[in-house]
Amino acid sequence: MKAFTASLTGTSLEWYDFAVYSAASALVFGKLFFPSGDPLTGTLLAFSTYAVGYVSRPVGGFVFGRLGDVIGRKRVLVATLVLVGVATFLIGCLPTHAVAGPVAPAMLVLLRFAQGVGVGGEWGGAVLLTSEFGNTRQRGFWASAAQVGPPVGNLMANGALAALGAMLTEEQFLSFGWRIAFLLSGVLVVFGLWVRTHLEETPVFKAVEAGGERPEAPVREVFAQQRRPLVAAILSRVAPDVLYAMFTVFVLTYVTEELGMPSGQALTAVLIGSGLQIFLIPLAGALSDRWNRRRLYLGAAVAAGVWPFVFFPLAETRSWLLIVLGVIGALVIHSMLYGPQAAFVAEQFSPRLRYTGSSLAYTLAGVIGGAVAPLVFTALLGKFGTWLPLAGYIVLTAVLTVTGVLLGRDADHAEDEEYTRLVGSNGDGGHGHGAGGAEPAASSSYASKSR
């Protein structure tokens, strides 16, 4: 439970940083950093910097993913938390375009890039932090701790912005209010560091280290030996990313600019849906342990492709209650995908390459999924003026995710247990002392199972 708490706390704080930027992209950055006579153009440019946070994630995946398999999970997770927290705090200190001209958006893009690098290295480690401490047969639940982080962070970020918007006039909010939400990151990061520095390294990594099984070139090994698991894991993440981008980020723009409703109503809808996800995501993870994880994922992916055809007609009524119900429905479906996702992705890779493989899958999927989604949604709406192309785009991503899940494999619990037994019985990873003996057997076992 200590590892669950540490994973949840750290990931929530990093996603607060990431989500507060996402919400600000939809609400204020277009006006302050990308001024234009056309509000939609300003929003499009703001979403371009939002995308930078996703495009930069593979850098974090390559750098920190590799380090996580070489020097350990804990050290990397401390580094990523510091990187994201400092970048977010500095965004709150930036001058706007009116003060610094083009330098302002350039600095914003640079700091957003740093955010993305940190988040790209965070996810794989946060997943392994809990799943490698917990029972492998309950991995869906334990690994969901990292998945609860985004809705908690989103809830905190949107809550902070909503509270500031309620307490301040629009002029005050645009002048200095939005900065407060970013500056709060400094306080939150100190707390997150205190939690993570008091945590031990995972038993699985200790066993890998003790048995001399740490990979020298994990990135190369993943691409050479585990290409199918990597493709399966990448595709499995596309629809959840796009669905989340639609119903927590772009929905703010759609409700305010297309439907002409107050931004506070859109924020409230997202807050309610995110609040429910805090409970639904671990529930979905636990259900995937009791049922077949792939089947649950497949059913949710199909539902993701259908739901836009329910939501947009509800939204066009301009009824706040129906919009809330539509957002909640989407985030329930997202929970059914997101809860089992961490376990599903991690299970595609062998333990000695799991941080690298999971991080690469997470970050590369973000580039083709969440990174471009708000841009695509904005461009499609601007060109066609109707929601149907937006729904079609989500259907396409659902098809990709279904393909990825079908390419993937079910959990092989005996694989983890065998590895820990063979390597750990000869190392000090909490299982014994000494060296030699079973190391070649463990290596051979995994070589034969690599894809």
Side-chain angles (χ1 to χ4, degrees), residues 28 30 37 92 103 109-110 123 130 142 154 188 203 210 235 260 273-274 343 345 348 353-354 381-382 385 414-415 450:
V28 299
V103 174
V109 170
L110 179 63
W123 188 81
T130 50
W142 291 111
N154 196 50
L188 297 174
L235 294 180
S274 296
V345 170
Q348 304 308 305
L353 297 172
R354 191 168 280 158
L381 186 62
E415 191 177 53
S450 295

Side-chain angles (χ1 to χ4, degrees), residues 116-135:
V117 171
V119 171
E122 158 76 13
W123 188 81
V127 167
L128 300 187
L129 193 64
T130 50
S131 64
E132 290 186 347
F133 270 111
N135 186 332

Side-chain angles (χ1 to χ4, degrees), residues 360-427:
L360 290 177
Y362 174 75
T363 56
L364 293 174
V367 173
I368 63 176
V372 299
L375 288 168
V376 173
F377 289 140
T378 305
L380 289 174
L381 186 62
K383 180 175 179 59
F384 296 102
T386 176
W387 58 267
L388 284 170
L390 281 64
Y393 174 52
I394 295 175
V395 170
L396 174 62
T397 65
V399 171
L400 292 176
T401 289
V402 167
T403 303
V405 177
L406 292 175
L407 283 173
R409 64 172 180 171
D410 289 318
D412 185 351
H413 302 298
E415 191 177 53
D416 271 31
E417 293 162 0
E418 177 191 10
Y419 185 87
T420 303
R421 176 179 62 81
L422 289 171
V423 179
S425 63
N426 295 280

Side-chain angles (χ1 to χ4, degrees), residues 42-213:
T43 302
L44 191 63
L45 291 171
F47 279 153
S48 297
T49 64
Y50 167 86
V52 168
Y54 281 87
V55 174
S56 60
R57 283 188 193 182
V59 177
F62 276 87
V63 175
F64 291 115
R66 176 187 178 280
L67 289 175
D69 281 326
V70 175
I71 68 173
R73 289 43 165 149
K74 175 184 171 179
R75 294 179 187 176
V76 171
L77 288 173
V78 169
T80 59
L81 184 60
V82 171
L83 177 60
V84 177
V86 170
T88 306
F89 183 86
L90 291 177
I91 288 173
C93 303
L94 284 180
T96 63
H97 187 278
V99 175
V103 174
M107 294 171 68
L108 183 66
V109 170
L110 179 63
L111 292 173
R112 179 60 169 176
F113 186 90
Q115 271 193 331
V117 171
V119 171
E122 158 76 13
W123 188 81
V127 167
L128 300 187
L129 193 64
T130 50
S131 64
E132 290 186 347
F133 270 111
N135 186 332
T136 60
R137 298 178 189 277
Q138 298 174 345
R139 182 179 285 144
F141 171 74
W142 291 111
S144 71
Q147 304 297 81
V148 180
V152 171
N154 196 50
L155 189 65
M156 292 165 57
N158 282 282
L161 289 170
L164 290 166
M167 291 187 293
L168 304 172
T169 65
E170 184 173 354
E171 183 178 333
Q172 290 173 325
F173 182 75
L174 289 174
S175 175
F176 66 86
W178 66 272
R179 296 182 182 276
I180 297 173
F182 285 85
L183 297 177
L184 280 173
S185 176
V187 178
L188 297 174
V189 165
V190 171
F191 173 72
L193 285 175
W194 179 80
V195 172
R196 284 196 170 170
T197 53
H198 285 76
L199 192 70
E200 295 183 7
E201 187 54 81
T202 72
V204 171
F205 181 77
K206 286 182 178 180
V208 170
E209 188 175 38
E213 288 289 294

